Amino acid sequence: MISTEKHITHERYHVPNLKRGLEVFELLAKNPDGMTLPEISKTAGYSKSSIFRILCTLEDCGYVAKNRDERTFRMSRKLAALGYAAFGESNIVEKSMDVLRRMRDKIGETSMLGTMLDDGCVMIEQAPGTFPFKFLGEIGMRIAFHTSAPGKAMLAFLSKDEVDRKIAKIKFQKFNENTIVDKKKFMAELETVKNNGYAFDKGEEIEGVNCVGAPILDAHGYPVAAIWITGPRERVKVSQLDEIGKIVKSYADEISGRLGFGLL
């Protein structure tokens, strides 16, 4: 009863345009490829003129940007960076980069660092591989939970309630014949990941590209991030995935230790 009364009281002081602006943020976060003004207006349920003023303000402040077609708006890196900072990801980057580079030097493949969003993962830093041909991602790149090594690595170490909530939102889009689209099979894989401490992506989104990842745990054992390597299947061979997994886990464990894991 008390919380309901507070909510009603707070509503009297809401700033309508701020509320609309936050709703635009949420829409763009869920549509990383961008949305047009009419699409935002229709989805949010506000007039085009109102959305236009909000987008102009956000663009001038650097929080949204236009795609090359000049018609669609997307969330900018500046806004993404604020989100990372709010959850302490900048601190994780500082505590991870030397380890990420050592892992890259040990394995040779591009090493990446990422964290969870509500409906997937996001890559926040990387150390490019040492081979002439290597895979590189874009900072802020979104990654699906069900097809990625970091997604599986982090999901496997969540509490049952939280992992159930996140899995309920997964659409299990099929990218190729390697993609896991069955929920029970995916849950079984997460159990294996938890037992091993590392996860695989066997070309499940991009055929011919394999990834191996492991979670970074904070002092309370919560998977705040993950590190992983990405390379062609000719170099990151299926027969070597467990061997690579143990290496990646050892580096992830080192970062976890810096965050206080194992000290409580």
Side-chain angles (χ1 to χ4, degrees), residues 7 25 42 52 55 60 120 138 155 158 191 200 202 241:
H7 178 68
F25 279 165
K42 182 178 179 180
F52 177 74
L55 289 173
D60 287 346
E138 182 178 352
L155 284 180
L158 292 175
E191 191 64 33
F200 306 140
K202 302 176 185 176
L241 292 183

Side-chain angles (χ1 to χ4, degrees), residues 146-179:
H146 72 296
T147 59
S148 68
K152 296 173 189 175
M154 289 184 281
L155 284 180
F157 285 82
L158 292 175
S159 67
K160 185 179 185 307
D161 288 345
E162 190 168 0
V163 75
D164 285 345
R165 287 197 299 271
K166 288 192 179 294
I167 289 180
K169 297 179 181 179
I170 297 177
K171 296 179 181 179
F172 288 100
Q173 178 182 353
K174 184 174 182 178
F175 293 94
N176 56 53
E177 293 303 317
N178 301 319
T179 306

Side-chain angles (χ1 to χ4, degrees), residues 109-110 112 133-136 147-149 176 178 200-212 228-238 241:
E109 303 294 348
T110 296
M112 300 179 175
F133 173 76
K134 55 180 144 306
F135 291 96
L136 295 175
T147 59
S148 68
N176 56 53
N178 301 319
F200 306 140
D201 162 14
K202 302 176 185 176
E204 292 160 41
E205 182 168 349
I206 303 175
E207 199 162 0
V209 179
N210 291 340
C211 304
V212 184
W228 69 99
I229 61 99
T230 300
R233 63 186 173 195
E234 290 78 14
R235 294 199 303 254
V236 184
K237 299 178 180 178
V238 172
L241 292 183

Side-chain angles (χ1 to χ4, degrees), residues 25-32 75 80 83-84 87 89 114-124 140-146 148 150-152 154-155 158 161-171 186 222-224:
F25 279 165
E26 292 177 357
L27 280 175
L28 294 178
K30 293 176 181 178
N31 296 273
M75 185 173 68
Y84 305 152
F87 289 97
E89 272 77 11
T115 189
M116 282 187 292
L117 296 176
D118 186 52
D119 58 350
C121 312
V122 61
M123 195 265 281
I124 58 177
M141 174 180 71
R142 300 287 288 270
I143 308 161
F145 275 135
H146 72 296
S148 68
K152 296 173 189 175
M154 289 184 281
L155 284 180
L158 292 175
D161 288 345
E162 190 168 0
V163 75
D164 285 345
R165 287 197 299 271
K166 288 192 179 294
I167 289 180
K169 297 179 181 179
I170 297 177
K171 296 179 181 179
F186 185 67
Y222 188 84
V224 293

Side-chain angles (χ1 to χ4, degrees), residues 45-94:
Y46 301 121
S47 70
K48 292 180 183 179
S49 60
S50 175
I51 296 298
F52 177 74
R53 290 194 295 272
I54 290 171
L55 289 173
C56 284
T57 303
L58 295 176
E59 184 179 10
D60 287 346
C61 292
Y63 291 113
V64 302
K66 285 181 181 176
N67 286 335
R68 290 182 179 179
D69 61 11
E70 293 292 322
R71 295 179 58 253
T72 54
F73 295 83
R74 57 179 169 76
M75 185 173 68
S76 72
R77 291 186 182 181
K78 180 179 179 180
L79 182 58
L82 285 179
Y84 305 152
F87 289 97
E89 272 77 11
S90 59
N91 187 44
I92 292 174
V93 171
E94 291 174 5

